[in-house]
Amino acid sequence: MTTDSPMTDEAVRETGVEVKPVAGHIGAEISGVDLAADLDDTVVAAIRAAVLRWKVVFFRGQRLDHAGHVAFARRFGETVVLPRRGKASPADFPEIETTADRLELGGRFGMEHDEWLRRRRHTLLRGWHCDHGARVDPPAATILRAETVPPYGGDTSWSNLAAAYAGLSAPLRQFADGLRAEHRLGVGYQPRPGDDAYVRHLLDRQVASLHPLVRVHPETGERILYVNGYYVEQIAGLSRPESAAVLEMLLEQAVRPEYTVRFRWEPGSVAFWDNRATMHLAPGDTGHLDHPRIMHRVMLAGDVPVGVDGRASEPITGTAPGRW
C-alpha cells in the first residue's frame, strides 16, 4: 500500500469523506463513501491517509460483493493470491479467502475446532498476530468484509504497535531497536500427546523469517514494535529465559487497553487495516453460539521489513519476497 503524499485533515474533509476517530490511539469510522462505486482518486487518497494515521478504519452498511471487494482492494495495491484456500472460499476469486475456512482445520486433524483453537491460543497473548507474520514480506494491509455475523459476540480487536513503541521508556526503546526475532509458523501451538497430525502439517509447510523487533514503517517513518503473539518465540542473541521474559513484557505493552480498539461487526461492515503497524485478535467468544460468522478477506502485498539499523528481514525457510 503506497501513497504519493499525505493528505491534510482539511483536504480529507473536502472530499466529502468523514473520518471519525473511535479510540484515542487507533481506529476510525469512515462515512460518506460507497466502496462499491467507482471511487475518485481523491477519495482513495483520503482513505489511504486515514489508514496510515489511524491504523485501522471501519466502514458500515457497504454492499460489496466479491468482485467489488477485489476491485476496491486493487485501488490500494497489488492483491495477494493465496496458493491454498479452503473450500468455503469463492473459486472464481483467488484473491479472496473466506475465514469460515478456518473452521474446517480442527476437523481435518482429528480435533474439534474448540480444541484446535485452545491449543493455538493457550495463553492470553498467543492469539494476537499480524497476518502471515512468519513470511519475509508480510502483507501490507488486510481488508476484511462481514457477510454474516452473530447477533452478539464475534468482535475483533486491533492494537497500534507504533503507539506501543512510543510508550516504552527511552532505555527500553534503545534496547529493542537493536534486536531481531524469529517469526515461525505455529510456534505457539501446544501439541497433543503422542502423534499430532497438525504438527506434521506445520512441519511440512514450515515458514520462518528473522525480523527486526522494531521495524521502520516504509511510508510514515514511524518505529513499530514488531511483536507477534502467535508467530514469535525467540529473540536472537538472548537465552530462552531472557527471550521469554522480554517478549512477554513487550507483548503486554503492545496490547495495553489504551493502544487498542474493538469493533462490533454488522453485515456489510468492512475493516481495512495496516498490517505493518498493527496486531489483531480474532474473536474467541462465538464457538458456543448457534450462529454463523462468515467473513471474507483480501490482502495487499507487502515489502520486506527494515529495522532501525537499516537491515532488512531475512528468510529462514519456506518464504521468499513476492512468492506465495
Side-chain angles (χ1 to χ4, degrees):
M1 190 176 72
T2 58
T3 182
D4 295 329
S5 60
M7 293 188 73
T8 64
D9 290 345
E10 182 178 356
V12 169
R13 285 193 295 270
E14 289 177 354
T15 67
V17 174
E18 182 179 0
V19 180
K20 182 180 179 181
V22 294
H25 286 288
I26 179 173
E29 286 202 14
I30 295 182
S31 58
V33 59
D34 178 2
L35 302 187
D38 185 13
L39 300 179
D40 184 88
D41 289 345
T42 58
V43 174
V44 171
I47 295 171
R48 182 184 287 117
V51 173
L52 291 174
R53 178 171 180 179
W54 294 105
K55 313 310 180 195
V56 57
V57 298
F58 310 112
F59 305 85
R60 294 194 182 274
Q62 299 296 319
R63 297 167 296 176
L64 285 175
D65 56 13
H66 292 327
H69 191 168
V70 173
F72 173 70
R74 286 177 176 165
R75 298 298 303 274
F76 296 89
E78 178 187 353
T79 54
V80 168
V81 175
L82 293 170
R84 290 181 296 271
R85 299 178 301 154
K87 62 184 180 183
S89 294
D92 295 337
F93 297 92
E95 304 92 344
I96 293 179
E97 183 178 30
T98 298
T99 57
D101 289 345
R102 302 298 181 193
L103 301 181
E104 303 170 4
L105 286 178
R108 284 168 47 195
F109 300 105
M111 291 176 280
E112 295 296 329
H113 176 70
D114 287 350
E115 180 186 355
W116 175 75
L117 190 61
R118 286 196 304 271
R119 291 185 178 281
R120 290 181 68 226
R121 292 164 59 165
H122 56 86
T123 72
L124 294 176
L125 298 175
R126 274 296 180 197
W128 286 92
H129 67 286
C130 69
D131 286 333
H132 291 275
R135 287 187 53 86
V136 72
D137 57 344
T142 298
I143 302 172
L144 185 63
R145 167 172 57 101
E147 177 182 321
T148 303
V149 297
Y152 50 89
D155 299 357
T156 304
S157 298
W158 288 263
S159 166
N160 182 339
L161 298 179
Y165 173 83
L168 292 170
S169 65
L172 269 178
R173 291 198 302 269
Q174 185 176 9
F175 174 58
D177 284 349
L179 297 176
R180 295 165 75 80
E182 181 179 301
H183 295 231
R184 182 175 290 271
L185 181 64
V187 294
Y189 175 74
Q190 279 195 333
R192 296 179 115 195
D195 183 55
D196 188 317
Y198 188 61
V199 170
R200 296 201 308 272
H201 168 81
L202 290 172
L203 293 175
D204 288 344
R205 294 165 176 80
Q206 192 53 255
V207 178
S209 301
L210 191 66
H211 288 307
L213 196 59
V214 178
R215 72 175 290 184
V216 179
H217 196 286
E219 298 185 62
T220 67
E222 295 170 295
R223 295 188 181 186
I224 307 296
L225 183 59
Y226 206 50
V227 290
N228 198 314
Y230 185 60
Y231 292 108
V232 182
E233 193 166 60
Q234 181 68 38
I235 298 175
L238 302 189
S239 69
R240 188 161 288 273
E242 290 171 337
S243 176
V246 172
L247 282 173
E248 183 175 15
M249 175 189 65
L250 293 178
L251 282 167
E252 288 179 346
Q253 166 74 4
V255 300
R256 284 171 53 172
E258 58 263 43
Y259 303 136
T260 66
V261 65
R262 180 167 176 156
F263 183 61
R264 176 77 195 106
W265 293 97
E266 300 169 348
S269 295
V270 174
F272 183 171
W273 68 89
D274 189 335
N275 195 53
R276 303 161 297 188
T278 62
M279 285 193 299
H280 61 279
L281 180 67
D285 63 348
T286 60
H288 65 292
L289 303 179
D290 188 22
H291 298 285
R293 185 178 186 271
I294 301 174
M295 318 286 283
H296 308 284
R297 75 172 178 180
V298 176
M299 297 179 293
L300 302 180
D303 56 348
V304 176
V306 174
V308 175
D309 58 3
R311 294 170 60 202
S313 299
E314 303 169 28
I316 296 175
T317 186
T319 179
R323 294 177 57 187
W324 283 79

